[in-house]
Amino acid sequence: PLAGFEAETGFDEALADPGPPPDEAAAFADELRMLLESLDAQERQFVELKLEGHFQDTIAERLGCSERTVRRIQETLRERWEK
């Protein structure tokens, strides 16, 4: 039963994938840190909530703003980070 569970969930594949090399992981972490440091408090909280998997309605509630404001923040960040 356990072997079937592992095959169904992709457990074997997850163990076989070591992830990115340490230098790439460090570069990504540095870039993410710089991006987060460039944000104001509301934008940073938005990103944290989004990374935690929250939806717009929950993010709006937590930020104390409307869903329209959340969409605006998301679009502003997308435009800024695509440059």
Side-chain angles (χ1 to χ4, degrees):
L2 184 57
F5 173 76
E6 291 174 357
E8 288 176 16
T9 61
F11 185 71
D12 291 332
E13 290 83 11
L15 289 177
D17 181 11
D23 59 333
E24 287 181 23
F28 175 78
D30 287 343
E31 186 172 346
L32 179 59
R33 182 185 47 76
M34 288 179 3
L35 288 171
L36 291 174
E37 287 176 353
S38 73
L39 304 177
D40 65 30
Q42 186 180 47
E43 291 169 336
R44 190 171 19 262
Q45 189 174 7
F46 165 83
V47 171
E48 290 169 359
L49 292 168
K50 196 69 171 169
L51 289 173
E52 290 173 2
H54 294 286
F55 294 105
Q56 287 183 356
D57 58 340
T58 304
I59 294 172
E61 182 179 317
R62 299 261 181 101
L63 294 180
C65 64
S66 68
E67 288 185 48
R68 180 178 180 198
T69 299
V70 170
R71 288 190 299 273
R72 182 184 49 77
I73 293 169
Q74 183 171 335
E75 185 59 29
T76 299
L77 292 175
R78 180 181 293 123
E79 290 172 0
R80 187 183 312 161
W81 289 354
E82 284 178 352
K83 293 181 182 180

